[in-house]
Amino acid sequence: MKCEIVAIGSEMLTPFRQDTNSLFLTEKLNEIGVTVAFKSIVGDRRKDLVSAIRTALGRTDIVILMGGLGPTEDDLTREATAEALGVPMRREAPLVAALHARAATWRIPMPENNLKQADVIEGATVLPNANGSAPGQWLDVTFEGFRKLVMLVPGPPSECKPLFETECLPRLRDVVPPRFIAKRTLKAAMIPESQCDKLLAPIYTPYTDVETTILAHNGDIQLSLLCAKRDMETAEQRVEELATKMEEALDDWLYSTEGESLEQIVLYYLGLRQATLATAESCTGGLVAQRITAIPGSSRSFLGGVVVYSNELKTAFAGVAAELIEQHGAVSEEVASALASGIRQRTGATIGLGVTGIAGPGGGTEAKPVGLVYIAVSDAQRTDVLERTFRGPRQRVREWTAQQALDLVRRKLM
């Protein structure tokens, strides 16, 4: 069965608020074999709400409406749902009494507009809200000749999540046909998205029963495989078969088959080799070290790092000769190599990482443009240096550089 989640509230159409409930709902729905086909955000305008609800009813089996159940004039989810379905509402006396009792516990008179929270759509089952004043509603209706399940749940996460889990999920399990969803997430580093798809499309397109999506972000490719079947064994078999073929095609671009982050994999390899890492970063400003130390237990393999923005600190902390910087410039292959080998020797680490570059927006020249970076990885045998030029604003250059740096360490350890 397919589902649409509709987040309601004009505040979520601004830069200041975002829908996070739908991620939780999607996870819970997938667990019972329901696929989320659409997610919508609609403002607090009744005409728009009615249109969105009718659209959702026309294209999915299950519609979940989040938010707009409060007492204010712009809380219109109940009214819009009733209009979309062409049914009346009724005001339930027990809910009115509960609202009065709630207000009494706060020792305040209940505002008249609160009474709209006692309005129930004809045919709906009231879903108790243990964490707020607005109850949810469950409808099992026929729309244009087809059975539809409609849920109205409150918007605040502290109310939405427990109400959905305790009231909606058990009802869904009773009516949704048994279906199981198998998932797998593969991750690859520093392969262009277009190249990745060109490589993998001939492999995954024949698997029409496995939904394959590719998400690219700052040098990281995430491949999500999802298959729904009547039994978990069949679903997992199809996902495993496709994943194996994709893993072989990606070869050493692939770094994770279970959704781990690149820094987790780097730490895994360091632990496996009983090796340690130290970093000397310039243009990334400690971003590599930040990503590594965000992982619990990283201190077993990561000795530490320095941010060496000035030339003086490159010399003082990583032992880079001032003459070398004067001769080749701070952004150069030679300085990156000296940073990596210097920090390794200073700390006694197995591997040293050095990063230098021009993150921008200023500081570039024709010979050394903004986005030019040098990344070096050093061990006791050799030092490897990679030159790259990353386009875009300052933060993008820094994030791509950190990703490339972590991937170089990974490859050094493979």
Side-chain angles (χ1 to χ4, degrees), residues 359-395:
T365 65
E366 186 174 344
K368 295 182 177 181
V370 169
L372 174 67
V373 299
Y374 291 94
I375 305 164
V377 179
S378 173
D379 62 15
Q381 285 72 48
R382 57 182 287 179
T383 300
D384 300 306
V385 184
L386 179 67
E387 174 187 332
R388 294 294 302 270
T389 301
F390 297 117
R391 307 297 182 189
R394 181 181 181 84
Q395 187 59 20

PDB file of all heavy atoms in Angstrom, residues 359-395:
ATOM      1  N   ALA A 359      40.400  28.176   0.170  1.00  0.00           N
ATOM      2  CA  ALA A 359      38.960  27.928   0.269  1.00  0.00           C
ATOM      3  C   ALA A 359      38.139  29.083  -0.291  1.00  0.00           C
ATOM      4  O   ALA A 359      36.970  28.900  -0.635  1.00  0.00           O
ATOM      5  CB  ALA A 359      38.572  27.658   1.719  1.00  0.00           C
ATOM      6  N   GLY A 360      38.734  30.280  -0.379  1.00  0.00           N
ATOM      7  CA  GLY A 360      38.031  31.413  -0.944  1.00  0.00           C
ATOM      8  C   GLY A 360      37.210  32.163   0.098  1.00  0.00           C
ATOM      9  O   GLY A 360      37.264  31.860   1.283  1.00  0.00           O
ATOM     10  N   PRO A 361      36.444  33.148  -0.328  1.00  0.00           N
ATOM     11  CA  PRO A 361      36.256  33.542  -1.734  1.00  0.00           C
ATOM     12  C   PRO A 361      37.418  34.330  -2.321  1.00  0.00           C
ATOM     13  O   PRO A 361      37.530  34.469  -3.540  1.00  0.00           O
ATOM     14  CB  PRO A 361      34.989  34.397  -1.682  1.00  0.00           C
ATOM     15  CG  PRO A 361      34.985  34.973  -0.308  1.00  0.00           C
ATOM     16  CD  PRO A 361      35.577  33.940   0.575  1.00  0.00           C
ATOM     17  N   GLY A 362      38.297  34.867  -1.473  1.00  0.00           N
ATOM     18  CA  GLY A 362      39.458  35.596  -1.974  1.00  0.00           C
ATOM     19  C   GLY A 362      40.713  34.763  -1.844  1.00  0.00           C
ATOM     20  O   GLY A 362      40.700  33.620  -1.401  1.00  0.00           O
ATOM     21  N   GLY A 363      41.830  35.358  -2.245  1.00  0.00           N
ATOM     22  CA  GLY A 363      43.119  34.704  -2.083  1.00  0.00           C
ATOM     23  C   GLY A 363      43.620  33.948  -3.278  1.00  0.00           C
ATOM     24  O   GLY A 363      44.765  33.468  -3.278  1.00  0.00           O
ATOM     25  N   GLY A 364      42.801  33.814  -4.308  1.00  0.00           N
ATOM     26  CA  GLY A 364      43.225  33.053  -5.476  1.00  0.00           C
ATOM     27  C   GLY A 364      43.996  33.899  -6.478  1.00  0.00           C
ATOM     28  O   GLY A 364      43.906  35.129  -6.490  1.00  0.00           O
ATOM     29  N   THR A 365      44.765  33.231  -7.298  1.00  0.00           N
ATOM     30  CA  THR A 365      45.483  33.870  -8.404  1.00  0.00           C
ATOM     31  C   THR A 365      45.260  33.048  -9.659  1.00  0.00           C
ATOM     32  O   THR A 365      44.650  31.975  -9.619  1.00  0.00           O
ATOM     33  CB  THR A 365      46.989  33.952  -8.108  1.00  0.00           C
ATOM     34  OG1 THR A 365      47.525  32.610  -8.049  1.00  0.00           O
ATOM     35  CG2 THR A 365      47.266  34.660  -6.790  1.00  0.00           C
ATOM     36  N   GLU A 366      45.779  33.537 -10.771  1.00  0.00           N
ATOM     37  CA  GLU A 366      45.639  32.774 -12.016  1.00  0.00           C
ATOM     38  C   GLU A 366      46.361  31.443 -11.915  1.00  0.00           C
ATOM     39  O   GLU A 366      45.890  30.414 -12.401  1.00  0.00           O
ATOM     40  CB  GLU A 366      46.189  33.593 -13.192  1.00  0.00           C
ATOM     41  CG  GLU A 366      45.941  32.935 -14.539  1.00  0.00           C
ATOM     42  CD  GLU A 366      46.349  33.823 -15.705  1.00  0.00           C
ATOM     43  OE1 GLU A 366      46.529  35.037 -15.497  1.00  0.00           O
ATOM     44  OE2 GLU A 366      46.484  33.288 -16.825  1.00  0.00           O
ATOM     45  N   ALA A 367      47.507  31.450 -11.255  1.00  0.00           N
ATOM     46  CA  ALA A 367      48.288  30.221 -11.123  1.00  0.00           C
ATOM     47  C   ALA A 367      47.705  29.298 -10.058  1.00  0.00           C
ATOM     48  O   ALA A 367      47.752  28.068 -10.188  1.00  0.00           O
ATOM     49  CB  ALA A 367      49.732  30.561 -10.780  1.00  0.00           C
ATOM     50  N   LYS A 368      47.169  29.917  -9.000  1.00  0.00           N
ATOM     51  CA  LYS A 368      46.587  29.134  -7.912  1.00  0.00           C
ATOM     52  C   LYS A 368      45.185  29.668  -7.621  1.00  0.00           C
ATOM     53  O   LYS A 368      45.001  30.538  -6.761  1.00  0.00           O
ATOM     54  CB  LYS A 368      47.462  29.201  -6.660  1.00  0.00           C
ATOM     55  CG  LYS A 368      48.826  28.542  -6.846  1.00  0.00           C
ATOM     56  CD  LYS A 368      49.651  28.573  -5.563  1.00  0.00           C
ATOM     57  CE  LYS A 368      50.978  27.852  -5.760  1.00  0.00           C
ATOM     58  NZ  LYS A 368      51.804  27.845  -4.517  1.00  0.00           N
ATOM     59  N   PRO A 369      44.187  29.145  -8.329  1.00  0.00           N
ATOM     60  CA  PRO A 369      42.820  29.683  -8.198  1.00  0.00           C
ATOM     61  C   PRO A 369      42.152  29.258  -6.898  1.00  0.00           C
ATOM     62  O   PRO A 369      42.587  28.321  -6.228  1.00  0.00           O
ATOM     63  CB  PRO A 369      42.112  29.066  -9.406  1.00  0.00           C
ATOM     64  CG  PRO A 369      42.831  27.772  -9.644  1.00  0.00           C
ATOM     65  CD  PRO A 369      44.267  28.061  -9.307  1.00  0.00           C
ATOM     66  N   VAL A 370      41.070  29.962  -6.571  1.00  0.00           N
ATOM     67  CA  VAL A 370      40.243  29.569  -5.438  1.00  0.00           C
ATOM     68  C   VAL A 370      39.731  28.142  -5.667  1.00  0.00           C
ATOM     69  O   VAL A 370      39.285  27.797  -6.766  1.00  0.00           O
ATOM     70  CB  VAL A 370      39.058  30.539  -5.264  1.00  0.00           C
ATOM     71  CG1 VAL A 370      38.048  29.981  -4.264  1.00  0.00           C
ATOM     72  CG2 VAL A 370      39.548  31.905  -4.819  1.00  0.00           C
ATOM     73  N   GLY A 371      39.800  27.321  -4.640  1.00  0.00           N
ATOM     74  CA  GLY A 371      39.367  25.926  -4.736  1.00  0.00           C
ATOM     75  C   GLY A 371      40.515  24.953  -4.913  1.00  0.00           C
ATOM     76  O   GLY A 371      40.327  23.742  -4.793  1.00  0.00           O
ATOM     77  N   LEU A 372      41.732  25.484  -5.181  1.00  0.00           N
ATOM     78  CA  LEU A 372      42.898  24.612  -5.323  1.00  0.00           C
ATOM     79  C   LEU A 372      43.296  24.082  -3.953  1.00  0.00           C
ATOM     80  O   LEU A 372      43.475  24.852  -3.003  1.00  0.00           O
ATOM     81  CB  LEU A 372      44.067  25.382  -5.932  1.00  0.00           C
ATOM     82  CG  LEU A 372      45.414  24.631  -6.008  1.00  0.00           C
ATOM     83  CD1 LEU A 372      45.331  23.470  -6.991  1.00  0.00           C
ATOM     84  CD2 LEU A 372      46.544  25.591  -6.380  1.00  0.00           C
ATOM     85  N   VAL A 373      43.444  22.767  -3.833  1.00  0.00           N
ATOM     86  CA  VAL A 373      43.852  22.164  -2.565  1.00  0.00           C
ATOM     87  C   VAL A 373      44.880  21.072  -2.833  1.00  0.00           C
ATOM     88  O   VAL A 373      44.899  20.454  -3.907  1.00  0.00           O
ATOM     89  CB  VAL A 373      42.655  21.561  -1.783  1.00  0.00           C
ATOM     90  CG1 VAL A 373      41.650  22.632  -1.435  1.00  0.00           C
ATOM     91  CG2 VAL A 373      41.998  20.436  -2.558  1.00  0.00           C
ATOM     92  N   TYR A 374      45.736  20.878  -1.835  1.00  0.00           N
ATOM     93  CA  TYR A 374      46.692  19.774  -1.854  1.00  0.00           C
ATOM     94  C   TYR A 374      46.478  18.964  -0.573  1.00  0.00           C
ATOM     95  O   TYR A 374      46.412  19.514   0.531  1.00  0.00           O
ATOM     96  CB  TYR A 374      48.131  20.287  -1.903  1.00  0.00           C
ATOM     97  CG  TYR A 374      48.492  20.951  -3.204  1.00  0.00           C
ATOM     98  CD1 TYR A 374      48.380  22.328  -3.355  1.00  0.00           C
ATOM     99  CD2 TYR A 374      48.953  20.204  -4.291  1.00  0.00           C
ATOM    100  CE1 TYR A 374      48.700  22.955  -4.550  1.00  0.00           C
ATOM    101  CE2 TYR A 374      49.285  20.820  -5.495  1.00  0.00           C
ATOM    102  CZ  TYR A 374      49.151  22.187  -5.620  1.00  0.00           C
ATOM    103  OH  TYR A 374      49.465  22.797  -6.811  1.00  0.00           O
ATOM    104  N   ILE A 375      46.346  17.656  -0.740  1.00  0.00           N
ATOM    105  CA  ILE A 375      46.102  16.749   0.382  1.00  0.00           C
ATOM    106  C   ILE A 375      47.182  15.676   0.357  1.00  0.00           C
ATOM    107  O   ILE A 375      47.424  15.051  -0.689  1.00  0.00           O
ATOM    108  CB  ILE A 375      44.715  16.100   0.268  1.00  0.00           C
ATOM    109  CG1 ILE A 375      43.630  17.166   0.144  1.00  0.00           C
ATOM    110  CG2 ILE A 375      44.437  15.202   1.466  1.00  0.00           C
ATOM    111  CD1 ILE A 375      42.300  16.642  -0.338  1.00  0.00           C
ATOM    112  N   ALA A 376      47.856  15.492   1.484  1.00  0.00           N
ATOM    113  CA  ALA A 376      48.940  14.523   1.547  1.00  0.00           C
ATOM    114  C   ALA A 376      48.689  13.527   2.674  1.00  0.00           C
ATOM    115  O   ALA A 376      48.186  13.886   3.740  1.00  0.00           O
ATOM    116  CB  ALA A 376      50.272  15.230   1.771  1.00  0.00           C
ATOM    117  N   VAL A 377      49.056  12.269   2.406  1.00  0.00           N
ATOM    118  CA  VAL A 377      48.976  11.206   3.409  1.00  0.00           C
ATOM    119  C   VAL A 377      50.345  10.554   3.487  1.00  0.00           C
ATOM    120  O   VAL A 377      50.913  10.150   2.466  1.00  0.00           O
ATOM    121  CB  VAL A 377      47.905  10.164   3.047  1.00  0.00           C
ATOM    122  CG1 VAL A 377      47.864   9.062   4.091  1.00  0.00           C
ATOM    123  CG2 VAL A 377      46.537  10.815   2.933  1.00  0.00           C
ATOM    124  N   SER A 378      50.869  10.462   4.713  1.00  0.00           N
ATOM    125  CA  SER A 378      52.235   9.977   4.896  1.00  0.00           C
ATOM    126  C   SER A 378      52.283   8.819   5.875  1.00  0.00           C
ATOM    127  O   SER A 378      51.610   8.838   6.910  1.00  0.00           O
ATOM    128  CB  SER A 378      53.100  11.136   5.423  1.00  0.00           C
ATOM    129  OG  SER A 378      54.394  10.677   5.759  1.00  0.00           O
ATOM    130  N   ASP A 379      53.069   7.792   5.535  1.00  0.00           N
ATOM    131  CA  ASP A 379      53.399   6.748   6.496  1.00  0.00           C
ATOM    132  C   ASP A 379      54.916   6.587   6.500  1.00  0.00           C
ATOM    133  O   ASP A 379      55.637   7.406   5.911  1.00  0.00           O
ATOM    134  CB  ASP A 379      52.671   5.436   6.195  1.00  0.00           C
ATOM    135  CG  ASP A 379      53.019   4.833   4.841  1.00  0.00           C
ATOM    136  OD1 ASP A 379      54.037   5.255   4.236  1.00  0.00           O
ATOM    137  OD2 ASP A 379      52.284   3.947   4.374  1.00  0.00           O
ATOM    138  N   ALA A 380      55.424   5.565   7.145  1.00  0.00           N
ATOM    139  CA  ALA A 380      56.872   5.412   7.276  1.00  0.00           C
ATOM    140  C   ALA A 380      57.552   5.127   5.950  1.00  0.00           C
ATOM    141  O   ALA A 380      58.766   5.355   5.805  1.00  0.00           O
ATOM    142  CB  ALA A 380      57.173   4.306   8.284  1.00  0.00           C
ATOM    143  N   GLN A 381      56.800   4.634   4.963  1.00  0.00           N
ATOM    144  CA  GLN A 381      57.410   4.268   3.683  1.00  0.00           C
ATOM    145  C   GLN A 381      57.366   5.392   2.641  1.00  0.00           C
ATOM    146  O   GLN A 381      58.328   5.630   1.928  1.00  0.00           O
ATOM    147  CB  GLN A 381      56.703   3.032   3.099  1.00  0.00           C
ATOM    148  CG  GLN A 381      57.052   1.719   3.775  1.00  0.00           C
ATOM    149  CD  GLN A 381      56.462   1.593   5.153  1.00  0.00           C
ATOM    150  OE1 GLN A 381      55.282   1.856   5.353  1.00  0.00           O
ATOM    151  NE2 GLN A 381      57.282   1.205   6.125  1.00  0.00           N
ATOM    152  N   ARG A 382      56.244   6.107   2.572  1.00  0.00           N
ATOM    153  CA  ARG A 382      56.102   7.098   1.504  1.00  0.00           C
ATOM    154  C   ARG A 382      55.032   8.120   1.861  1.00  0.00           C
ATOM    155  O   ARG A 382      54.224   7.917   2.763  1.00  0.00           O
ATOM    156  CB  ARG A 382      55.747   6.426   0.183  1.00  0.00           C
ATOM    157  CG  ARG A 382      54.490   5.583   0.236  1.00  0.00           C
ATOM    158  CD  ARG A 382      54.222   4.902  -1.068  1.00  0.00           C
ATOM    159  NE  ARG A 382      53.741   5.851  -2.080  1.00  0.00           N
ATOM    160  CZ  ARG A 382      53.443   5.518  -3.335  1.00  0.00           C
ATOM    161  NH1 ARG A 382      53.586   4.257  -3.728  1.00  0.00           N
ATOM    162  NH2 ARG A 382      53.015   6.424  -4.180  1.00  0.00           N
ATOM    163  N   THR A 383      55.060   9.214   1.105  1.00  0.00           N
ATOM    164  CA  THR A 383      54.054  10.260   1.231  1.00  0.00           C
ATOM    165  C   THR A 383      53.395  10.463  -0.125  1.00  0.00           C
ATOM    166  O   THR A 383      54.088  10.680  -1.130  1.00  0.00           O
ATOM    167  CB  THR A 383      54.670  11.581   1.716  1.00  0.00           C
ATOM    168  OG1 THR A 383      55.274  11.376   2.996  1.00  0.00           O
ATOM    169  CG2 THR A 383      53.609  12.669   1.822  1.00  0.00           C
ATOM    170  N   ASP A 384      52.088  10.365  -0.161  1.00  0.00           N
ATOM    171  CA  ASP A 384      51.324  10.569  -1.396  1.00  0.00           C
ATOM    172  C   ASP A 384      50.610  11.909  -1.322  1.00  0.00           C
ATOM    173  O   ASP A 384      50.028  12.256  -0.289  1.00  0.00           O
ATOM    174  CB  ASP A 384      50.295   9.451  -1.584  1.00  0.00           C
ATOM    175  CG  ASP A 384      50.946   8.086  -1.671  1.00  0.00           C
ATOM    176  OD1 ASP A 384      51.849   7.916  -2.507  1.00  0.00           O
ATOM    177  OD2 ASP A 384      50.551   7.194  -0.895  1.00  0.00           O
ATOM    178  N   VAL A 385      50.632  12.649  -2.430  1.00  0.00           N
ATOM    179  CA  VAL A 385      49.998  13.964  -2.472  1.00  0.00           C
ATOM    180  C   VAL A 385      49.014  14.015  -3.632  1.00  0.00           C
ATOM    181  O   VAL A 385      49.323  13.567  -4.739  1.00  0.00           O
ATOM    182  CB  VAL A 385      51.041  15.094  -2.636  1.00  0.00           C
ATOM    183  CG1 VAL A 385      50.347  16.457  -2.564  1.00  0.00           C
ATOM    184  CG2 VAL A 385      52.114  14.997  -1.563  1.00  0.00           C
ATOM    185  N   LEU A 386      47.837  14.562  -3.375  1.00  0.00           N
ATOM    186  CA  LEU A 386      46.814  14.710  -4.403  1.00  0.00           C
ATOM    187  C   LEU A 386      46.487  16.186  -4.578  1.00  0.00           C
ATOM    188  O   LEU A 386      46.267  16.899  -3.601  1.00  0.00           O
ATOM    189  CB  LEU A 386      45.540  13.953  -4.000  1.00  0.00           C
ATOM    190  CG  LEU A 386      44.362  14.034  -4.985  1.00  0.00           C
ATOM    191  CD1 LEU A 386      44.686  13.311  -6.278  1.00  0.00           C
ATOM    192  CD2 LEU A 386      43.104  13.441  -4.351  1.00  0.00           C
ATOM    193  N   GLU A 387      46.461  16.638  -5.820  1.00  0.00           N
ATOM    194  CA  GLU A 387      46.045  18.001  -6.132  1.00  0.00           C
ATOM    195  C   GLU A 387      44.635  17.975  -6.696  1.00  0.00           C
ATOM    196  O   GLU A 387      44.338  17.213  -7.607  1.00  0.00           O
ATOM    197  CB  GLU A 387      46.991  18.633  -7.158  1.00  0.00           C
ATOM    198  CG  GLU A 387      46.534  20.012  -7.629  1.00  0.00           C
ATOM    199  CD  GLU A 387      47.380  20.555  -8.779  1.00  0.00           C
ATOM    200  OE1 GLU A 387      48.568  20.192  -8.886  1.00  0.00           O
ATOM    201  OE2 GLU A 387      46.834  21.344  -9.597  1.00  0.00           O
ATOM    202  N   ARG A 388      43.751  18.785  -6.131  1.00  0.00           N
ATOM    203  CA  ARG A 388      42.392  18.891  -6.635  1.00  0.00           C
ATOM    204  C   ARG A 388      41.966  20.352  -6.663  1.00  0.00           C
ATOM    205  O   ARG A 388      42.482  21.185  -5.906  1.00  0.00           O
ATOM    206  CB  ARG A 388      41.399  18.119  -5.740  1.00  0.00           C
ATOM    207  CG  ARG A 388      41.583  16.613  -5.726  1.00  0.00           C
ATOM    208  CD  ARG A 388      41.276  15.973  -7.066  1.00  0.00           C
ATOM    209  NE  ARG A 388      39.926  16.241  -7.511  1.00  0.00           N
ATOM    210  CZ  ARG A 388      38.874  15.491  -7.230  1.00  0.00           C
ATOM    211  NH1 ARG A 388      39.008  14.432  -6.452  1.00  0.00           N
ATOM    212  NH2 ARG A 388      37.689  15.794  -7.701  1.00  0.00           N
ATOM    213  N   THR A 389      41.004  20.673  -7.524  1.00  0.00           N
ATOM    214  CA  THR A 389      40.384  21.989  -7.535  1.00  0.00           C
ATOM    215  C   THR A 389      38.884  21.809  -7.407  1.00  0.00           C
ATOM    216  O   THR A 389      38.247  21.208  -8.275  1.00  0.00           O
ATOM    217  CB  THR A 389      40.715  22.767  -8.828  1.00  0.00           C
ATOM    218  OG1 THR A 389      42.136  22.916  -8.932  1.00  0.00           O
ATOM    219  CG2 THR A 389      40.082  24.159  -8.788  1.00  0.00           C
ATOM    220  N   PHE A 390      38.326  22.293  -6.309  1.00  0.00           N
ATOM    221  CA  PHE A 390      36.904  22.169  -6.042  1.00  0.00           C
ATOM    222  C   PHE A 390      36.228  23.513  -6.267  1.00  0.00           C
ATOM    223  O   PHE A 390      36.673  24.544  -5.752  1.00  0.00           O
ATOM    224  CB  PHE A 390      36.663  21.700  -4.604  1.00  0.00           C
ATOM    225  CG  PHE A 390      37.221  20.341  -4.306  1.00  0.00           C
ATOM    226  CD1 PHE A 390      38.219  20.180  -3.349  1.00  0.00           C
ATOM    227  CD2 PHE A 390      36.765  19.218  -4.986  1.00  0.00           C
ATOM    228  CE1 PHE A 390      38.735  18.920  -3.078  1.00  0.00           C
ATOM    229  CE2 PHE A 390      37.286  17.956  -4.725  1.00  0.00           C
ATOM    230  CZ  PHE A 390      38.270  17.807  -3.757  1.00  0.00           C
ATOM    231  N   ARG A 391      35.160  23.505  -7.033  1.00  0.00           N
ATOM    232  CA  ARG A 391      34.437  24.734  -7.353  1.00  0.00           C
ATOM    233  C   ARG A 391      33.331  24.985  -6.331  1.00  0.00           C
ATOM    234  O   ARG A 391      32.800  24.070  -5.720  1.00  0.00           O
ATOM    235  CB  ARG A 391      33.828  24.641  -8.754  1.00  0.00           C
ATOM    236  CG  ARG A 391      34.822  24.276  -9.852  1.00  0.00           C
ATOM    237  CD  ARG A 391      35.893  25.327 -10.003  1.00  0.00           C
ATOM    238  NE  ARG A 391      36.818  25.007 -11.085  1.00  0.00           N
ATOM    239  CZ  ARG A 391      37.945  25.665 -11.324  1.00  0.00           C
ATOM    240  NH1 ARG A 391      38.282  26.685 -10.546  1.00  0.00           N
ATOM    241  NH2 ARG A 391      38.728  25.310 -12.325  1.00  0.00           N
ATOM    242  N   GLY A 392      32.978  26.253  -6.205  1.00  0.00           N
ATOM    243  CA  GLY A 392      31.844  26.592  -5.352  1.00  0.00           C
ATOM    244  C   GLY A 392      32.230  27.508  -4.210  1.00  0.00           C
ATOM    245  O   GLY A 392      33.382  27.953  -4.096  1.00  0.00           O
ATOM    246  N   PRO A 393      31.277  27.814  -3.326  1.00  0.00           N
ATOM    247  CA  PRO A 393      31.534  28.695  -2.193  1.00  0.00           C
ATOM    248  C   PRO A 393      32.482  28.057  -1.183  1.00  0.00           C
ATOM    249  O   PRO A 393      32.762  26.857  -1.220  1.00  0.00           O
ATOM    250  CB  PRO A 393      30.139  28.925  -1.596  1.00  0.00           C
ATOM    251  CG  PRO A 393      29.332  27.757  -2.040  1.00  0.00           C
ATOM    252  CD  PRO A 393      29.870  27.378  -3.387  1.00  0.00           C
ATOM    253  N   ARG A 394      32.924  28.872  -0.247  1.00  0.00           N
ATOM    254  CA  ARG A 394      33.952  28.479   0.719  1.00  0.00           C
ATOM    255  C   ARG A 394      33.610  27.181   1.461  1.00  0.00           C
ATOM    256  O   ARG A 394      34.445  26.274   1.533  1.00  0.00           O
ATOM    257  CB  ARG A 394      34.138  29.623   1.710  1.00  0.00           C
ATOM    258  CG  ARG A 394      35.190  29.382   2.780  1.00  0.00           C
ATOM    259  CD  ARG A 394      35.284  30.574   3.721  1.00  0.00           C
ATOM    260  NE  ARG A 394      36.303  30.374   4.742  1.00  0.00           N
ATOM    261  CZ  ARG A 394      37.599  30.617   4.576  1.00  0.00           C
ATOM    262  NH1 ARG A 394      38.043  31.070   3.406  1.00  0.00           N
ATOM    263  NH2 ARG A 394      38.466  30.413   5.558  1.00  0.00           N
ATOM    264  N   GLN A 395      32.397  27.091   2.003  1.00  0.00           N
ATOM    265  CA  GLN A 395      32.047  25.915   2.786  1.00  0.00           C
ATOM    266  C   GLN A 395      32.042  24.651   1.936  1.00  0.00           C
ATOM    267  O   GLN A 395      32.441  23.579   2.413  1.00  0.00           O
ATOM    268  CB  GLN A 395      30.693  26.105   3.476  1.00  0.00           C
ATOM    269  CG  GLN A 395      30.307  25.015   4.457  1.00  0.00           C
ATOM    270  CD  GLN A 395      31.310  24.851   5.602  1.00  0.00           C
ATOM    271  OE1 GLN A 395      32.100  25.750   5.900  1.00  0.00           O
ATOM    272  NE2 GLN A 395      31.298  23.684   6.234  1.00  0.00           N
TER     273      GLN A 395
END
